[in-house]
Amino acid sequence: EAGVAQSPRYKIIEKRQSVAFWCNPISGHATLYWYQQILGQGPKLLIQFQNNGVVDDSQLPKDRFSAERLKGVDSTLKIQPAKLEDSAVYLCASSSRAPGPTLGTQYFGPGTRLTVL
Amino acid sequence: QKEVEQNSGPLSVPEGAIASLNCTYSDRGSQSFFWYRQYSGKSPELIMFIYSNGDKEDGRFTAQLNKASQYVSLLIRDSQPSDSATYLCAGGGGNTGKLIFGQGTTLQVKP
């Protein structure tokens, strides 16, 4: 079974530029998550999708970050314009179980390491 | 603010010893707890999860959950140098099932 795929693996941009990350979850997984992991910290949830609907985006900085999951499979996370503090690893994860009190296991992709200069 | 707290470490243990990693959480609504291992430069990989009070064993790993004390732990028996990594504790549940991660504990197993 193929895992969660992400691209690109690395990205270096200047502040105020825009960037987009792509994620393809494990086949059949309806729930998709985007996390931001700053060096030395645990992953922080940015947005959670169930199929193509947003379940939780309470920690997504909506003035600069956007995400979509058209057709309920692949997802794209965009930052525009980027700030220095956006330098982090952006992790995509997927789960086969619908959100609720008892969670399904989340499987992580390799991540995209973003450096903003 | 719902939080999961871990000591960042590093926790250093000799090879063959038992490593004990601890985690506390603030949200009593959390029902699911996960331990992930993250090697430097890599993404988190699941070690095990626990939903019920008590112990759950999987090979060299034992997860412990005490909901009354809001405490989760991971024991690693016969620690190996390959166990050296950052261990992330995560808790979740509630309406959306949002998973909240701790900052991770760095474990160093010395040969």
Side-chain angles (χ1 to χ4, degrees):
Chain A
E1 179 182 73
V4 177
Q6 289 187 249
S7 67
R9 294 294 310 278
Y10 306 90
K11 191 73 177 179
I12 300 174
I13 61 173
E14 305 225 337
K15 60 183 179 184
R16 292 188 289 273
Q17 286 187 322
S18 63
V19 64
F21 312 126
W22 173 83
C23 172
N24 182 248
I26 293 173
S27 178
H29 280 196
T31 308
L32 184 147
Y33 310 81
W34 282 103
Y35 289 89
Q36 179 192 59
Q37 187 174 24
I38 294 172
L39 187 64
Q41 299 182 18
K44 182 183 83 171
L45 180 69
L46 293 175
I47 189 167
Q48 177 180 345
F49 291 96
Q50 172 70 11
N51 296 311
N52 60 350
V54 175
V55 175
D56 188 327
D57 64 356
S58 58
Q59 295 194 87
L60 186 73
K62 298 180 184 64
D63 58 333
R64 299 185 300 107
F65 286 65
S66 64
E68 59 182 11
R69 192 183 184 198
L70 300 176
K71 301 181 181 178
V73 182
D74 293 9
S75 178
T76 302
L77 176 70
K78 297 179 181 177
I79 307 175
Q80 182 178 10
K83 293 185 175 181
L84 296 177
E85 58 261 36
D86 298 332
S87 293
V89 175
Y90 290 84
L91 295 163
C92 179
S94 70
S95 170
S96 61
R97 189 180 288 191
T102 303
L103 292 171
T105 298
Q106 294 184 25
Y107 298 91
F108 285 84
T112 297
R113 184 175 300 275
L114 174 67
T115 302
V116 182
L117 302 175
Chain B
Q1 180 78 358
K2 299 174 183 177
E3 294 182 339
V4 174
E5 300 283 347
Q6 294 181 258
N7 187 319
S8 60
L11 172 66
S12 183
V13 300
E15 183 174 356
I18 296 175
S20 177
L21 304 162
N22 305 313
C23 167
T24 59
Y25 61 95
S26 63
D27 180 17
R28 286 195 174 273
S30 296
Q31 298 188 26
S32 309
F33 299 90
F34 297 80
W35 284 99
Y36 283 85
R37 177 175 61 199
Q38 186 171 29
Y39 292 112
S40 181
K42 302 294 185 182
S43 60
E45 57 178 329
L46 181 72
I47 298 174
M48 61 191 304
F49 59 86
I50 187 166
Y51 298 141
S52 304
N53 269 330
D55 296 359
K56 179 181 179 182
E57 187 174 318
D58 184 359
R60 296 187 296 115
F61 299 95
T62 299
Q64 299 173 318
L65 173 60
N66 183 326
K67 291 187 177 181
S69 300
Q70 296 178 248
Y71 178 88
V72 190
S73 65
L74 179 70
L75 301 178
I76 306 175
R77 291 182 297 282
D78 188 25
S79 296
Q80 300 298 309
S82 58
D83 294 326
S84 297
T86 296
Y87 290 79
L88 297 164
C89 172
N95 294 332
T96 65
K98 178 178 177 178
L99 201 59
I100 297 174
F101 282 83
Q103 67 182 71
T105 298
T106 299
L107 173 67
Q108 297 174 345
V109 181
K110 297 188 175 181

